[in-house]
Amino acid sequence: MDSIVVTGGGELHGEIPIAGAKNACLTLMPATLLSEEPLTLTNAPRLSDIKTMTELLASLGAEATSMQDGQVLAMSSHDINNHVADYDIVRKMRASNLVLGPMLARLGHAVVSLPGGCAIGARPMDLHIYGLEKLGAQIELKDGYLHAKAPRGLKGAEIDLAFASVGATENILMAATLAKGTTIIRNAAREPEIVDLADCLRKMGAQIDGDGTSEIVIQGVDRLSGATHPVVTDRIELGTYMLAPAIAGGEVECLGGRIDLVKSFAEKLDAAGIQVEETARGLKVARKNGRVSAVDVTTEPFPGFPTDLQAQMMAMLCTADGTSVLHETIFENRFMHAPELTRMGANIEVHGGTATVHGVKRLKGARVMATDLRASVSLILAGMAAEGETVVSRVYHLDRGYEKVVRKLSLIGAKIERIKE
């Protein structure tokens, strides 16, 4: 099993390219199931989760070819010969459930395994089921599988989501593109990945308005065509690498970064004493002066502070001047990185969904263990601010969400290597 070794103490300088968004790409890929014509995605990230989704689509009869070193995905679903998304594939990745809406809309039936729990929370399917049933689907749970059918096709409906669920919004949005009549999704998720999906679906011929707001209106069409679409910049990778010079010192330009993708996050950085400057090529990040200041953070659905940047932000606040309070409102069990940071000398108290971080002058290198994707990169960031050597084990989580992380951080001067133990 691989580990990552980080030696702290050096400032970071240079440029770091930001990949296409994992969460956007994993949503765009199932959209190929809505059409018989080819869908091509450019700026695709090179991650294990993308390979898993490719495997799932192939199991359904879709064709998916990776080109240009994995940054272009050419897909075609002209011959879907299987309507069962098997547990052995779905269990590997939460986003696998996004094949449900497209298959139901185009084929009229689908059998999709429940994805099961998650290390950072259960993330149930109830809102997905509610929305698709409002569109006329009949869904039954048997032996861990959702058996869905719409023998008369899907019909437009008004759908009020109890929570602005990203996954439910995406599944319902895709299904509604081929439903008869008008669908209105209220309390819809507003994330950039939703807007990116809607942009792609419009290129395929869908009629969608209101994406990026809490009310999305979809006028169903009879069929969708093929398209070519670039995957939006990964705002979580962007935020992660923006924190690197904030934690270790120096100045780094994140190529392809856009302030609109990370506005609330950038505002917190500003309050902490980190300067974020827009450039012609992306975002340039540096400390304004000296030690970082403590700030309080509450995670919220977009456009609020992203839950997927909470662990990385905590790593920075471990050495801030003062006491910070972080409230996690999206997922339970998402402070599992706190005990590992404590092993490095951090002073953190966790009570339920609240973590209080008392800044220390310096972290110290230690052997730590990654518990999930974002926790793993937070420990790497902490290691860059620590005295001595930090060894992060179980880094296979990283491959799900960060492409070439060692190479990218090495480009800006980090002392980091990946080793087999």
Side-chain angles (χ1 to χ4, degrees):
M1 190 177 293
D2 290 5
S3 295
I4 285 181
V5 180
V6 185
T7 304
E11 289 191 347
L12 306 176
H13 293 274
E15 303 172 345
I16 193 162
I18 307 301
K22 172 183 86 100
N23 290 340
C25 195
L26 290 175
T27 304
L28 293 163
M29 291 175 73
T32 187
L33 298 170
L34 291 165
S35 174
E36 295 181 359
E37 298 181 20
L39 174 63
T40 301
L41 301 178
T42 62
N43 195 38
R46 293 159 288 189
L47 304 168
S48 61
D49 274 8
I50 303 303
K51 292 180 181 177
T52 300
M53 183 61 81
T54 299
E55 181 185 354
L56 176 59
L57 292 174
S59 75
L60 300 173
E63 298 173 5
T65 303
S66 176
M67 302 183 294
Q68 296 185 23
D69 193 27
Q71 291 187 297
V72 174
L73 294 173
M75 298 171 291
S76 176
S77 298
H78 62 276
D79 184 24
I80 300 301
N81 53 31
N82 176 32
H83 65 276
V84 179
D86 193 77
Y87 171 76
D88 285 340
I89 303 175
V90 174
R91 67 179 175 82
K92 299 177 185 177
M93 185 182 63
R94 183 75 196 177
S96 299
N97 60 36
L98 293 175
V99 302
L100 177 59
M103 281 204 296
L104 194 56
R106 181 173 157 204
L107 305 178
H109 56 276
V111 178
V112 178
S113 170
L114 287 175
C118 175
I120 57 170
R123 300 200 274 187
M125 288 285 293
D126 54 349
L127 290 180
H128 300 245
I129 296 168
Y130 160 76
L132 295 172
E133 286 183 336
K134 290 283 282 186
L135 293 174
Q138 301 168 15
I139 301 177
E140 183 181 3
L141 175 61
K142 291 191 297 187
D143 301 323
Y145 283 77
L146 293 173
H147 294 250
K149 58 183 179 180
R152 298 182 180 85
L154 299 177
K155 295 182 180 179
E158 296 188 15
I159 300 168
D160 297 279
L161 295 177
F163 172 75
S165 163
V166 175
T169 301
E170 291 166 341
N171 236 335
I172 297 164
L173 173 59
M174 286 190 279
T177 60
L178 295 178
K180 296 185 184 303
T182 302
T183 297
I184 301 174
I185 307 173
R186 297 193 180 94
N187 197 26
R190 300 163 59 186
E191 274 72 1
E193 294 80 13
I194 301 286
V195 176
D196 199 40
L197 173 62
D199 284 343
C200 179
L201 292 172
R202 276 189 288 264
K203 291 176 184 176
M204 296 171 70
Q207 297 183 20
I208 303 169
D209 292 298
D211 46 293
T213 76
S214 59
E215 185 171 296
I216 303 176
V217 180
I218 309 104
Q219 181 65 48
V221 297
D222 291 334
R223 63 182 297 276
L224 294 178
S225 60
T228 298
H229 179 79
V231 180
V232 70
T233 296
D234 193 320
R235 61 194 172 97
I236 305 304
E237 183 179 90
L238 171 61
T240 298
Y241 290 130
M242 288 170 70
L243 280 168
I247 287 174
E251 181 180 273
V252 172
E253 186 171 13
C254 297
L255 304 181
R258 288 170 24 200
I259 198 70
D260 63 299
L261 296 176
V262 288
K263 190 171 185 295
S264 61
F265 171 71
E267 288 170 353
K268 287 295 181 183
L269 291 187
D270 180 68
I274 307 300
Q275 180 177 335
V276 180
E277 176 189 350
E278 292 186 79
T279 70
R281 304 174 68 206
L283 298 177
K284 188 176 291 184
V285 184
R287 287 186 196 169
K288 294 176 184 175
N289 46 51
R291 195 173 170 192
V292 170
S293 301
V295 293
D296 294 341
V297 171
T298 299
T299 61
E300 296 175 317
F302 190 87
F305 191 98
T307 180
D308 280 349
L309 287 173
Q310 176 261 110
Q312 301 92 306
M313 190 72 171
M314 182 184 285
M316 183 188 79
L317 296 175
C318 285
T319 59
D321 184 14
T323 297
S324 306
V325 179
L326 292 88
H327 298 284
E328 176 56 60
T329 68
I330 307 298
F331 295 128
E332 68 270 29
N333 305 329
R334 204 163 199 183
F335 288 135
M336 291 187 292
H337 47 282
E340 301 302 305
L341 289 169
T342 301
R343 289 175 55 83
M344 300 176 68
N347 185 349
I348 306 169
E349 303 166 14
V350 175
H351 298 283
T354 300
T356 303
V357 182
H358 306 283
V360 298
K361 286 191 176 179
R362 192 71 187 264
L363 296 174
K364 294 185 178 181
R367 293 190 70 91
V368 292
M369 183 178 69
T371 53
D372 60 66
L373 169 58
R374 307 307 172 185
S376 58
V377 80
S378 76
L379 297 172
I380 291 172
L381 292 173
M384 293 191 293
E387 185 178 272
E389 186 177 271
T390 298
V391 180
V392 185
S393 63
R394 295 181 64 185
V395 294
Y396 57 84
H397 294 289
L398 270 177
D399 300 327
R400 294 185 47 239
Y402 293 93
E403 64 169 41
K404 304 181 185 299
V405 64
V406 170
R407 180 175 179 274
K408 286 187 177 184
L409 288 172
S410 296
L411 282 175
I412 55 175
K415 297 174 183 176
I416 180 173
E417 62 176 327
R418 186 162 178 158
I419 61 171
K420 292 188 180 296
E421 291 192 328

